[in-house]
Amino acid sequence: GASLTGLTSAQMPTGSVLQVTYDAKTTVVTTSSNTNSDIGITASITPVSSSNPIYVEWFAPDNRKETGNTNLIIKLYRQINGGGYSYLVTLTAGSLYLGSTALISAGASSIFKDTTHNSTAQVDYKLYISSGQNTAKVSINKDNASHTGIRLMEVAG
């Protein structure tokens, strides 16, 4: 839109989406640990203003408990200008409890508003999973066809 109207990003009305980036995968990722496992999904964005919020939309449509009762925990990590990843927020702690060890599936998605990046350098966001119970097995994309991913949107503040 800015190229059509001649507006710079600084002149865009508050609430305008300035840019969108995305990363997703379909491969199965499984863990039986309560230690965070990198699932190989990373999206990057370089904000045009340090005061613009970045909306992080994540989605995980095929999450499964395969053994024992547990929670699938999905966490978002962030790094700014290559400075190393640090924990930002727990996105879900999906309850996958059932009265047996039978397989159970659940989907989850949400949007997180990051107002703390305070940077115009590249900001990278990465998803990690873990099992709420150290020995219970959880998976994402178990059907090897679903897309788990993140979408980043910088919005004029």
Side-chain angles (χ1 to χ4, degrees):
S3 62
L4 297 175
T5 63
L7 296 176
T8 65
S9 59
Q11 296 169 314
M12 295 295 284
T14 300
S16 297
V17 175
L18 302 176
Q19 59 178 316
V20 177
T21 63
Y22 174 86
D23 189 29
K25 72 183 304 179
T26 59
T27 54
V28 178
V29 178
T30 300
T31 186
S32 296
S33 172
N34 61 5
T35 301
N36 295 324
S37 298
D38 181 352
I39 61 174
I41 297 174
T42 304
S44 302
I45 196 165
T46 303
V48 297
S49 171
S50 62
S51 61
N52 287 339
I54 298 171
Y55 288 83
V56 182
E57 176 186 12
W58 66 274
F59 45 93
D62 186 28
N63 310 310
R64 298 191 189 183
K65 166 195 78 96
E66 297 186 59
T67 61
N69 286 323
T70 190
N71 294 321
L72 170 68
I73 299 169
I74 301 176
K75 292 185 177 181
L76 181 67
Y77 278 64
R78 176 187 71 191
Q79 77 171 352
I80 298 172
N81 202 25
Y85 283 95
S86 59
Y87 168 77
L88 188 59
V89 65
T90 297
L91 300 173
T92 188
S95 180
L96 298 174
Y97 278 80
L98 190 63
S100 71
T101 59
L103 178 93
I104 186 171
S105 295
S109 67
S110 187
I111 296 178
F112 171 76
K113 181 180 178 182
D114 182 6
T115 59
T116 64
H117 63 85
N118 301 323
S119 180
T120 56
Q122 180 173 310
V123 183
D124 307 313
Y125 296 88
K126 181 181 285 267
L127 294 176
Y128 289 79
I129 65 168
S130 63
S131 174
Q133 306 298 324
N134 199 33
T135 59
K137 185 177 179 182
V138 293
S139 300
I140 62 167
N141 298 332
K142 188 62 179 179
D143 63 3
N144 220 10
S146 297
H147 287 79
T148 294
I150 54 178
R151 180 178 298 112
L152 309 176
M153 296 169 280
E154 180 184 7
V155 175

